Coordinates of all heavy atoms in Angstrom, one line a residue:
M1227 N 86.8 -45.4 -20.2 CA 85.6 -45.2 -19.3 C 85.5 -46.4 -18.3 O 85.5 -47.5 -18.8 CB 84.3 -45.1 -20.2 CG 84.2 -43.8 -20.9 SD 83.5 -42.5 -19.8 CE 81.7 -42.9 -19.9
P1228 N 85.5 -46.1 -17.1 CA 85.3 -47.1 -16.1 C 83.9 -47.7 -16.2 O 82.9 -47.0 -16.6 CB 85.5 -46.5 -14.8 CG 85.2 -45.0 -15.0 CD 85.5 -44.8 -16.5
K1229 N 83.8 -49.0 -16.0 CA 82.5 -49.7 -16.0 C 81.6 -49.1 -14.9 O 82.0 -48.8 -13.8 CB 82.7 -51.2 -15.7 CG 82.4 -52.0 -16.9 CD 82.3 -53.5 -16.5 CE 82.3 -54.4 -17.7 NZ 82.5 -55.8 -17.3
K1230 N 80.4 -48.9 -15.3 CA 79.4 -48.4 -14.3 C 79.1 -49.5 -13.3 O 78.7 -50.6 -13.7 CB 78.2 -47.8 -15.0 CG 77.5 -46.8 -14.1 CD 76.4 -46.1 -14.9 CE 75.8 -45.0 -14.0 NZ 74.7 -44.4 -14.6
I1231 N 79.2 -49.2 -12.0 CA 78.9 -50.2 -11.0 C 77.4 -50.1 -10.6 O 76.9 -49.0 -10.3 CB 79.7 -50.0 -9.7 CG1 81.2 -50.1 -10.1 CG2 79.3 -51.0 -8.6 CD1 82.1 -49.6 -9.0
P1232 N 76.7 -51.2 -10.7 CA 75.3 -51.1 -10.3 C 75.1 -50.9 -8.8 O 75.7 -51.5 -8.0 CB 74.7 -52.5 -10.7 CG 75.8 -53.4 -11.0 CD 77.1 -52.5 -11.1
M1233 N 74.3 -49.9 -8.5 CA 74.1 -49.5 -7.1 C 72.7 -49.9 -6.7 O 71.8 -49.8 -7.5 CB 74.4 -48.0 -6.9 CG 75.7 -47.5 -7.4 SD 77.1 -48.1 -6.4 CE 77.1 -46.9 -5.1
R1234 N 72.6 -50.2 -5.4 CA 71.3 -50.5 -4.9 C 71.2 -49.9 -3.5 O 72.2 -49.7 -2.8 CB 71.1 -52.1 -4.7 CG 71.0 -52.8 -6.1 CD 69.8 -52.4 -6.8 NE 69.6 -53.2 -8.1 CZ 70.2 -52.8 -9.3 NH1 70.9 -51.7 -9.3 NH2 70.0 -53.5 -10.3
T1235 N 70.0 -49.7 -3.1 CA 69.7 -49.1 -1.8 C 69.3 -50.2 -0.8 O 68.4 -51.0 -1.0 CB 68.6 -48.1 -1.9 OG1 69.0 -47.2 -2.9 CG2 68.4 -47.3 -0.6
C1236 N 69.9 -50.2 0.4 CA 69.5 -51.1 1.5 C 68.2 -50.6 2.0 O 68.0 -49.5 2.3 CB 70.6 -51.0 2.6 SG 70.1 -51.9 4.1
V1237 N 67.2 -51.6 2.1 CA 65.9 -51.2 2.6 C 65.9 -51.0 4.1 O 64.9 -50.6 4.7 CB 64.8 -52.2 2.2 CG1 64.7 -52.2 0.7 CG2 65.1 -53.6 2.7
G1238 N 67.0 -51.4 4.8 CA 67.1 -51.2 6.2 C 67.6 -49.9 6.6 O 66.9 -49.1 7.3
C1239 N 68.7 -49.5 6.1 CA 69.3 -48.2 6.5 C 69.3 -47.1 5.4 O 69.6 -46.0 5.7 CB 70.7 -48.4 7.0 SG 71.8 -49.0 5.7
G1240 N 69.0 -47.5 4.2 CA 68.9 -46.5 3.2 C 70.2 -46.2 2.5 O 70.3 -45.3 1.7
T1241 N 71.3 -46.9 2.9 CA 72.6 -46.6 2.3 C 72.6 -47.2 0.9 O 72.2 -48.3 0.7 CB 73.7 -47.3 3.2 OG1 73.6 -46.7 4.5 CG2 75.1 -47.0 2.6
V1242 N 73.2 -46.4 0.0 CA 73.4 -46.9 -1.4 C 74.8 -47.5 -1.5 O 75.8 -46.9 -1.1 CB 73.2 -45.7 -2.4 CG1 73.5 -46.2 -3.8 CG2 71.8 -45.1 -2.2
R1243 N 74.8 -48.7 -1.9 CA 76.1 -49.4 -2.0 C 76.1 -50.2 -3.4 O 75.1 -50.4 -4.0 CB 76.2 -50.5 -0.9 CG 76.3 -50.0 0.5 CD 76.3 -51.3 1.4 NE 76.2 -50.9 2.8 CZ 77.3 -50.8 3.6 NH1 78.5 -50.9 3.1 NH2 77.1 -50.5 4.8
P1244 N 77.3 -50.6 -3.8 CA 77.4 -51.5 -4.9 C 76.6 -52.7 -4.7 O 76.6 -53.3 -3.6 CB 78.9 -51.8 -5.1 CG 79.6 -50.7 -4.3 CD 78.7 -50.2 -3.2
K1245 N 75.9 -53.1 -5.7 CA 75.0 -54.3 -5.6 C 75.7 -55.5 -5.0 O 75.1 -56.3 -4.3 CB 74.5 -54.6 -7.1 CG 73.4 -55.5 -7.2 CD 73.0 -55.6 -8.7 CE 72.2 -56.9 -8.9 NZ 71.9 -57.0 -10.4
K1246 N 77.0 -55.7 -5.4 CA 77.7 -56.8 -5.0 C 77.9 -56.9 -3.4 O 78.1 -57.9 -2.9 CB 79.1 -56.8 -5.6 CG 79.1 -57.4 -7.0 CD 80.6 -57.6 -7.5 CE 81.3 -56.3 -7.6 NZ 82.6 -56.5 -8.3
E1247 N 77.8 -55.7 -2.8 CA 78.1 -55.7 -1.4 C 76.8 -55.9 -0.6 O 76.8 -55.9 0.6 CB 78.7 -54.3 -1.0 CG 80.1 -54.2 -1.5 CD 80.7 -52.8 -1.2 OE1 80.1 -52.1 -0.3 OE2 81.7 -52.5 -1.7
L1248 N 75.7 -55.9 -1.3 CA 74.4 -56.1 -0.6 C 73.9 -57.5 -0.8 O 74.3 -58.2 -1.7 CB 73.4 -55.1 -1.1 CG 73.7 -53.6 -0.9 CD1 72.9 -52.7 -1.8 CD2 73.5 -53.3 0.6
I1249 N 73.0 -57.9 0.1 CA 72.4 -59.2 0.0 C 71.0 -59.0 -0.6 O 70.2 -58.2 -0.1 CB 72.3 -59.8 1.4 CG1 73.7 -60.2 1.9 CG2 71.4 -61.1 1.4 CD1 73.7 -60.7 3.3
R1250 N 70.8 -59.7 -1.7 CA 69.4 -59.7 -2.3 C 68.5 -60.7 -1.6 O 68.9 -61.8 -1.3 CB 69.5 -60.0 -3.8 CG 68.2 -59.9 -4.5 CD 68.4 -60.0 -6.0 NE 67.2 -59.6 -6.7 CZ 66.2 -60.5 -7.1 NH1 66.4 -61.8 -7.0 NH2 65.2 -60.0 -7.8
V1251 N 67.4 -60.2 -1.2 CA 66.4 -61.1 -0.6 C 65.2 -61.2 -1.4 O 64.8 -60.2 -2.1 CB 66.1 -60.7 0.9 CG1 67.3 -60.9 1.8 CG2 65.5 -59.3 1.0
V1252 N 64.5 -62.3 -1.4 CA 63.3 -62.5 -2.2 C 62.2 -63.0 -1.2 O 62.5 -63.6 -0.2 CB 63.5 -63.4 -3.4 CG1 64.4 -62.8 -4.4 CG2 64.0 -64.8 -2.9
M1253 N 61.0 -62.9 -1.7 CA 59.9 -63.5 -0.8 C 59.3 -64.7 -1.5 O 59.0 -64.7 -2.7 CB 58.8 -62.4 -0.6 CG 57.9 -62.8 0.5 SD 56.6 -61.6 0.8 CE 55.7 -61.7 -0.7
T1254 N 59.2 -65.8 -0.7 CA 58.5 -67.0 -1.2 C 57.0 -66.8 -1.2 O 56.5 -65.8 -0.6 CB 58.9 -68.2 -0.3 OG1 58.2 -68.0 0.9 CG2 60.3 -68.3 -0.1
P1255 N 56.3 -67.6 -2.0 CA 54.8 -67.5 -1.9 C 54.3 -67.7 -0.5 O 53.1 -67.2 -0.3 CB 54.4 -68.7 -2.8 CG 55.6 -69.0 -3.7 CD 56.8 -68.6 -2.9
E1256 N 55.0 -68.3 0.4 CA 54.6 -68.4 1.7 C 54.8 -67.2 2.6 O 54.5 -67.1 3.8 CB 55.2 -69.6 2.4 CG 54.8 -71.0 1.9 CD 55.4 -71.3 0.5 OE1 56.6 -70.9 0.3 OE2 54.7 -71.9 -0.4
G1257 N 55.5 -66.2 2.0 CA 55.7 -65.0 2.7 C 57.0 -65.0 3.5 O 57.1 -64.1 4.4
E1258 N 57.8 -65.9 3.2 CA 59.1 -65.9 3.9 C 60.2 -65.2 3.1 O 60.2 -65.3 1.9 CB 59.6 -67.4 4.1 CG 59.0 -68.1 5.3 CD 59.7 -69.4 5.6 OE1 60.3 -69.9 4.7 OE2 59.5 -69.9 6.7
I1259 N 61.0 -64.4 3.9 CA 62.1 -63.7 3.2 C 63.3 -64.6 3.3 O 63.7 -65.0 4.3 CB 62.3 -62.4 4.0 CG1 61.1 -61.5 4.1 CG2 63.5 -61.6 3.3 CD1 60.5 -61.1 2.7
L1260 N 63.8 -64.8 2.1 CA 65.0 -65.7 2.0 C 66.1 -65.0 1.2 O 65.8 -64.2 0.3 CB 64.7 -67.0 1.3 CG 63.7 -67.9 2.0 CD1 63.3 -69.1 1.1 CD2 64.2 -68.4 3.3
P1261 N 67.4 -65.3 1.5 CA 68.5 -64.7 0.8 C 68.5 -65.3 -0.6 O 68.3 -66.5 -0.8 CB 69.7 -65.0 1.6 CG 69.3 -66.2 2.4 CD 67.8 -66.1 2.6
D1262 N 68.8 -64.5 -1.6 CA 68.9 -64.9 -3.0 C 70.4 -64.9 -3.3 O 70.8 -63.9 -3.9 CB 68.0 -64.0 -3.9 CG 68.2 -64.4 -5.3 OD1 68.7 -65.5 -5.6 OD2 68.0 -63.5 -6.2
K1263 N 71.1 -65.9 -3.0 CA 72.5 -65.9 -3.0 C 73.1 -65.7 -4.4 O 74.0 -64.9 -4.7 CB 73.1 -67.1 -2.4 CG 73.1 -66.9 -0.9 CD 74.1 -67.8 -0.2 CE 74.6 -67.3 1.1 NZ 75.5 -68.2 1.8
G1264 N 72.5 -66.4 -5.4 CA 73.0 -66.3 -6.7 C 72.5 -65.1 -7.5 O 72.9 -64.8 -8.6
G1265 N 71.5 -64.5 -6.9 CA 70.9 -63.4 -7.6 C 70.0 -63.8 -8.7 O 69.7 -63.1 -9.7
R1266 N 69.6 -65.1 -8.7 CA 68.9 -65.7 -9.8 C 67.4 -65.9 -9.6 O 66.7 -66.1 -10.5 CB 69.5 -67.0 -10.2 CG 70.9 -66.9 -10.6 CD 71.3 -68.0 -11.6 NE 72.7 -67.8 -12.1 CZ 73.7 -68.5 -11.5 NH1 73.5 -69.3 -10.6 NH2 74.9 -68.3 -12.0
A1267 N 67.0 -65.8 -8.3 CA 65.6 -66.1 -8.1 C 64.8 -65.0 -8.7 O 65.1 -63.8 -8.7 CB 65.3 -66.1 -6.6
G1268 N 63.7 -65.4 -9.3 CA 62.8 -64.5 -10.0 C 62.0 -63.6 -9.0 O 62.1 -63.8 -7.8
G1269 N 61.2 -62.8 -9.6 CA 60.3 -62.0 -8.8 C 61.0 -60.8 -8.2 O 62.1 -60.4 -8.5
R1270 N 60.2 -60.2 -7.3 CA 60.6 -58.9 -6.8 C 61.7 -59.2 -5.7 O 61.6 -60.1 -4.9 CB 59.4 -58.2 -6.1 CG 59.7 -56.8 -5.7 CD 58.4 -56.2 -5.3 NE 57.6 -55.8 -6.4 CZ 56.4 -56.1 -6.7 NH1 55.7 -56.9 -5.9 NH2 55.8 -55.6 -7.8
G1271 N 62.7 -58.4 -5.7 CA 63.8 -58.5 -4.7 C 64.0 -57.2 -3.9 O 63.5 -56.2 -4.3
A1272 N 64.6 -57.4 -2.8 CA 65.0 -56.2 -2.0 C 66.5 -56.4 -1.6 O 67.0 -57.5 -1.6 CB 64.1 -56.0 -0.8
Y1273 N 67.1 -55.3 -1.2 CA 68.5 -55.4 -0.9 C 68.8 -55.0 0.5 O 68.2 -54.0 1.0 CB 69.4 -54.6 -1.8 CG 69.4 -55.2 -3.2 CD1 68.4 -54.8 -4.1 CD2 70.4 -56.0 -3.6 CE1 68.3 -55.4 -5.4 CE2 70.4 -56.6 -4.9 CZ 69.3 -56.2 -5.8 OH 69.3 -56.8 -7.0
L1274 N 69.7 -55.7 1.2 CA 70.0 -55.4 2.6 C 71.6 -55.4 2.7 O 72.2 -56.2 2.1 CB 69.5 -56.5 3.5 CG 68.0 -56.4 3.8 CD1 67.6 -57.7 4.5 CD2 67.6 -55.2 4.7
C1275 N 72.1 -54.6 3.6 CA 73.5 -54.7 4.0 C 73.7 -56.1 4.6 O 72.8 -56.7 5.2 CB 73.9 -53.7 5.0 SG 73.6 -52.0 4.5
N1276 N 74.9 -56.5 4.7 CA 75.2 -57.8 5.4 C 75.3 -57.5 6.9 O 76.4 -57.6 7.5 CB 76.5 -58.4 4.8 CG 76.8 -59.7 5.4 OD1 75.9 -60.5 5.8 ND2 78.0 -60.1 5.5
D1277 N 74.2 -57.1 7.4 CA 74.2 -56.6 8.8 C 72.8 -56.9 9.4 O 71.8 -56.5 8.9 CB 74.4 -55.1 8.8 CG 74.5 -54.5 10.2 OD1 74.1 -55.2 11.2 OD2 75.0 -53.4 10.4
P1278 N 72.8 -57.7 10.4 CA 71.5 -58.1 11.0 C 70.7 -56.9 11.5 O 69.5 -56.9 11.5 CB 71.9 -59.0 12.2 CG 73.4 -59.2 12.2 CD 74.0 -58.3 11.2
A1279 N 71.4 -55.8 11.8 CA 70.7 -54.6 12.3 C 69.8 -54.1 11.1 O 68.7 -53.5 11.3 CB 71.7 -53.6 12.7
C1280 N 70.3 -54.2 9.9 CA 69.5 -53.7 8.8 C 68.3 -54.6 8.5 O 67.3 -54.0 8.2 CB 70.4 -53.6 7.5 SG 71.6 -52.3 7.6
L1281 N 68.4 -55.8 8.7 CA 67.3 -56.7 8.6 C 66.2 -56.4 9.6 O 65.0 -56.2 9.3 CB 67.7 -58.2 8.8 CG 66.6 -59.2 8.9 CD1 65.7 -59.2 7.6 CD2 67.1 -60.6 9.2
E1282 N 66.7 -56.2 10.9 CA 65.7 -55.9 11.9 C 65.1 -54.5 11.7 O 63.9 -54.3 11.9 CB 66.4 -55.9 13.3 CG 67.1 -57.2 13.7 CD 66.0 -58.3 13.7 OE1 64.9 -58.1 14.0 OE2 66.4 -59.5 13.5
R1283 N 65.9 -53.6 11.2 CA 65.3 -52.3 11.0 C 64.3 -52.3 9.8 O 63.3 -51.6 9.9 CB 66.5 -51.3 10.6 CG 66.2 -49.9 10.8 CD 67.5 -49.1 10.5 NE 68.6 -49.3 11.5 CZ 69.8 -49.1 11.2 NH1 70.2 -48.7 10.0 NH2 70.7 -49.4 12.1
A1284 N 64.7 -53.1 8.8 CA 63.7 -53.2 7.7 C 62.4 -53.8 8.1 O 61.4 -53.4 7.6 CB 64.4 -54.0 6.6
L1285 N 62.5 -54.8 9.0 CA 61.2 -55.4 9.5 C 60.4 -54.4 10.3 O 59.2 -54.3 10.2 CB 61.6 -56.6 10.3 CG 62.1 -57.8 9.5 CD1 62.6 -58.9 10.4 CD2 61.0 -58.4 8.6
R1286 N 61.2 -53.7 11.2 CA 60.5 -52.8 12.1 C 59.9 -51.6 11.3 O 58.8 -51.2 11.6 CB 61.5 -52.2 13.1 CG 61.1 -52.5 14.5 CD 62.0 -51.9 15.6 NE 63.1 -51.2 15.1 CZ 64.4 -51.6 15.3 NH1 64.6 -52.8 15.8 NH2 65.4 -50.9 14.9
R1287 N 60.6 -51.1 10.3 CA 60.1 -50.0 9.6 C 59.2 -50.4 8.5 O 58.7 -49.6 7.7 CB 61.3 -49.2 9.0 CG 62.1 -48.5 10.1 CD 63.4 -48.0 9.5 NE 63.1 -47.0 8.5 CZ 64.0 -46.5 7.7 NH1 65.2 -47.0 7.7 NH2 63.7 -45.6 6.8
R1288 N 58.9 -51.7 8.3 CA 58.0 -52.2 7.3 C 58.6 -51.9 5.9 O 57.8 -51.8 4.9 CB 56.6 -51.6 7.4 CG 56.0 -51.9 8.8 CD 54.6 -51.5 8.9 NE 54.2 -51.5 10.3 CZ 53.0 -51.3 10.7 NH1 52.0 -50.9 9.8 NH2 52.7 -51.3 12.0
S1289 N 59.9 -51.7 5.8 CA 60.5 -51.5 4.5 C 60.3 -52.7 3.6 O 60.2 -52.5 2.4 CB 61.9 -51.1 4.7 OG 62.1 -50.1 5.6
L1290 N 60.5 -53.9 4.2 CA 60.4 -55.1 3.4 C 58.9 -55.2 2.9 O 58.7 -55.6 1.7 CB 60.8 -56.3 4.2 CG 62.3 -56.4 4.3 CD1 62.6 -57.5 5.3 CD2 63.0 -56.8 3.0
Q1291 N 58.0 -55.0 3.8 CA 56.6 -55.1 3.4 C 56.3 -54.1 2.2 O 55.6 -54.5 1.3 CB 55.7 -54.7 4.5 CG 55.6 -55.8 5.6 CD 56.8 -55.7 6.6 OE1 57.8 -55.1 6.4 NE2 56.6 -56.3 7.8
R1292 N 56.9 -53.0 2.3 CA 56.7 -52.0 1.2 C 57.4 -52.5 -0.1 O 56.8 -52.4 -1.2 CB 57.3 -50.6 1.5 CG 56.3 -49.6 2.0 CD 56.8 -48.2 1.8 NE 58.1 -48.0 2.4 CZ 58.2 -47.8 3.7 NH1 57.2 -47.7 4.5 NH2 59.4 -47.6 4.2
A1293 N 58.6 -53.0 0.1 CA 59.4 -53.5 -1.1 C 58.6 -54.7 -1.8 O 58.6 -54.7 -3.0 CB 60.8 -54.0 -0.7
F1294 N 58.0 -55.5 -1.0 CA 57.3 -56.7 -1.6 C 55.8 -56.4 -1.7 O 55.1 -57.3 -2.2 CB 57.6 -57.9 -0.7 CG 59.0 -58.4 -0.8 CD1 59.8 -58.3 0.4 CD2 59.6 -58.8 -1.9 CE1 61.1 -58.7 0.4 CE2 60.9 -59.2 -2.0 CZ 61.7 -59.1 -0.8
R1295 N 55.4 -55.3 -1.3 CA 54.0 -54.9 -1.4 C 53.0 -55.9 -0.8 O 52.1 -56.5 -1.4 CB 53.6 -54.7 -2.9 CG 54.5 -53.6 -3.5 CD 54.1 -53.4 -4.9 NE 55.2 -52.6 -5.5 CZ 55.0 -51.8 -6.6 NH1 53.9 -51.8 -7.2 NH2 56.0 -51.1 -7.1
V1296 N 53.3 -56.3 0.4 CA 52.4 -57.2 1.2 C 52.1 -56.5 2.5 O 52.9 -55.7 3.0 CB 53.1 -58.5 1.4 CG1 53.3 -59.3 0.1 CG2 54.4 -58.4 2.2
P1297 N 51.0 -57.0 3.1 CA 50.7 -56.5 4.5 C 51.7 -57.0 5.5 O 52.3 -58.1 5.2 CB 49.3 -57.1 4.8 CG 48.8 -57.6 3.4 CD 50.0 -57.8 2.6
Q1298 N 51.9 -56.3 6.5 CA 52.9 -56.7 7.5 C 52.7 -58.1 8.0 O 53.7 -58.8 8.2 CB 52.8 -55.7 8.7 CG 54.0 -56.0 9.7 CD 53.9 -55.0 10.8 OE1 52.8 -54.5 11.1 NE2 55.0 -54.8 11.5
S1299 N 51.4 -58.5 8.2 CA 51.2 -59.8 8.7 C 51.6 -61.0 7.8 O 51.8 -62.1 8.2 CB 49.7 -60.0 9.0 OG 49.0 -59.8 7.8
E1300 N 51.9 -60.7 6.6 CA 52.2 -61.7 5.6 C 53.7 -61.9 5.4 O 54.1 -62.5 4.4 CB 51.5 -61.4 4.3 CG 50.0 -61.6 4.3 CD 49.4 -61.4 3.0 OE1 50.0 -61.5 2.0 OE2 48.2 -61.1 3.0
I1301 N 54.5 -61.4 6.3 CA 55.9 -61.4 6.0 C 56.6 -62.0 7.3 O 56.1 -61.7 8.4 CB 56.4 -60.0 5.7 CG1 57.5 -60.1 4.7 CG2 56.8 -59.2 6.9 CD1 57.8 -58.8 3.9
S1302 N 57.6 -62.8 7.1 CA 58.3 -63.3 8.2 C 59.8 -63.5 7.8 O 60.1 -63.7 6.7 CB 57.8 -64.6 8.7 OG 57.9 -65.6 7.8
A1303 N 60.7 -63.3 8.8 CA 62.1 -63.5 8.5 C 62.5 -64.7 9.3 O 62.7 -64.7 10.5 CB 62.9 -62.3 9.0
P1304 N 62.7 -65.8 8.7 CA 63.0 -67.1 9.4 C 64.5 -67.0 9.9 O 65.3 -66.2 9.4 CB 62.9 -68.2 8.3 CG 62.9 -67.5 7.0 CD 62.5 -66.1 7.2
D1305 N 64.7 -67.8 10.9 CA 66.1 -67.8 11.5 C 67.1 -68.1 10.5 O 68.2 -67.5 10.6 CB 66.1 -69.0 12.5 CG 65.3 -68.7 13.8 OD1 64.9 -67.5 13.9 OD2 65.0 -69.6 14.6
R1306 N 66.8 -68.8 9.5 CA 67.7 -69.1 8.4 C 68.3 -67.8 7.8 O 69.4 -67.7 7.5 CB 67.0 -69.9 7.3 CG 67.8 -70.6 6.3 CD 67.0 -71.5 5.5 NE 67.2 -71.4 4.1 CZ 66.4 -71.8 3.2 NH1 65.2 -72.3 3.5 NH2 66.7 -71.6 1.9
L1307 N 67.4 -66.8 7.6 CA 67.8 -65.6 7.0 C 68.6 -64.8 8.0 O 69.7 -64.2 7.7 CB 66.6 -64.7 6.6 CG 66.9 -63.3 6.1 CD1 67.7 -63.4 4.8 CD2 65.6 -62.6 5.8
R1308 N 68.2 -64.8 9.2 CA 69.0 -64.1 10.3 C 70.4 -64.7 10.4 O 71.3 -64.0 10.7 CB 68.3 -64.2 11.6 CG 66.9 -63.5 11.6 CD 66.2 -63.7 12.9 NE 64.8 -63.4 12.8 CZ 64.3 -62.2 13.1 NH1 65.0 -61.2 13.5 NH2 63.0 -62.0 12.9
E1309 N 70.5 -66.0 10.1 CA 71.8 -66.6 10.2 C 72.7 -66.2 9.0 O 73.9 -66.1 9.1 CB 71.7 -68.1 10.3 CG 71.3 -68.6 11.6 CD 70.8 -70.0 11.6 OE1 71.0 -70.7 10.7 OE2 70.1 -70.4 12.6
E1310 N 72.0 -66.1 7.9 CA 72.8 -65.7 6.6 C 73.3 -64.3 6.7 O 74.5 -64.0 6.3 CB 71.8 -65.7 5.4 CG 71.4 -67.1 5.0 CD 72.5 -67.8 4.3 OE1 73.4 -67.2 3.8 OE2 72.4 -69.1 4.2
I1311 N 72.5 -63.4 7.2 CA 72.9 -62.0 7.3 C 73.8 -61.7 8.4 O 73.5 -62.0 9.6 CB 71.7 -61.1 7.3 CG1 71.0 -61.2 5.9 CG2 72.1 -59.6 7.5 CD1 69.8 -60.3 5.7
G1312 N 75.0 -61.3 8.1 CA 75.9 -60.9 9.2 C 76.7 -62.1 9.7 O 77.5 -62.0 10.6
G1313 N 76.4 -63.3 9.2 CA 77.1 -64.5 9.6 C 78.5 -64.5 9.0 O 78.9 -63.6 8.2
T1314 N 79.3 -65.5 9.3 CA 80.6 -65.7 8.8 C 80.4 -66.0 7.3 O 79.5 -66.6 6.9 CB 81.4 -66.8 9.4 OG1 80.7 -68.0 9.3 CG2 81.6 -66.5 10.9
D1315 N 81.4 -65.6 6.5 CA 81.3 -65.8 5.1 C 81.9 -67.2 4.7 O 82.0 -67.5 3.5 CB 81.9 -64.7 4.3 CG 83.2 -64.3 4.7 OD1 83.8 -65.0 5.5 OD2 83.7 -63.2 4.3
A1316 N 82.3 -68.0 5.7 CA 82.8 -69.3 5.4 C 81.5 -70.2 5.1 O 80.7 -70.4 6.0 CB 83.6 -69.8 6.6
G1317 N 81.5 -70.8 4.0 CA 80.4 -71.6 3.6 C 79.2 -70.8 3.2 O 78.2 -71.2 2.9
Ligands
ZN2374 ZN1 71.8 -51.3 5.6

């Protein structure tokens, strides 16, 4: 029996992909969305494709707000996150 691959849904485009191919993001108490690279940060997480378009779409469609259950005004995507997503994988 092949191992079951954990699948997750991108909150930006709704595509279901293997968890490993998606970027897990978490929200800090300050309401910033940050990448959770090791997958170890606690709390509620959301998943995005490694594509800046998915981040933008998730913000526009309030998918992240829904995922983290916060009002739209309490969420922000810092440049740091924008650089992480879709950036080069070197470093
Ligand atoms: Zn996506």
Side-chain angles (χ1 to χ4, degrees):
M1227 285 278 279
K1229 248 191 193 171
K1230 202 169 183 185
I1231 300 168
M1233 304 294 276
R1234 293 293 183 273
T1235 306
C1236 169
V1237 295
C1239 64
T1241 303
V1242 179
R1243 294 175 187 268
K1245 194 177 162 185
K1246 277 191 293 191
E1247 294 180 11
L1248 294 164
I1249 294 175
R1250 184 173 192 261
V1251 294
V1252 294
M1253 193 178 70
T1254 68
E1256 290 76 36
E1258 280 191 338
I1259 304 297
L1260 296 175
D1262 174 20
K1263 282 202 151 173
R1266 296 211 180 94
R1270 188 172 281 126
Y1273 292 85
L1274 286 167
C1275 302
N1276 188 25
D1277 184 342
C1280 286
L1281 171 62
E1282 299 303 330
R1283 203 175 293 155
L1285 289 168
R1286 238 187 355 255
R1287 293 170 62 194
R1288 304 184 191 186
S1289 308
L1290 284 169
Q1291 286 86 339
R1292 259 203 308 279
F1294 294 113
R1295 300 181 194 201
V1296 294
Q1298 187 179 22
S1299 56
E1300 289 183 21
I1301 215 160
S1302 67
D1305 290 345
R1306 196 170 133 200
L1307 175 63
R1308 293 173 199 271
E1309 283 161 17
E1310 289 286 341
I1311 293 186
T1314 60
D1315 49 11

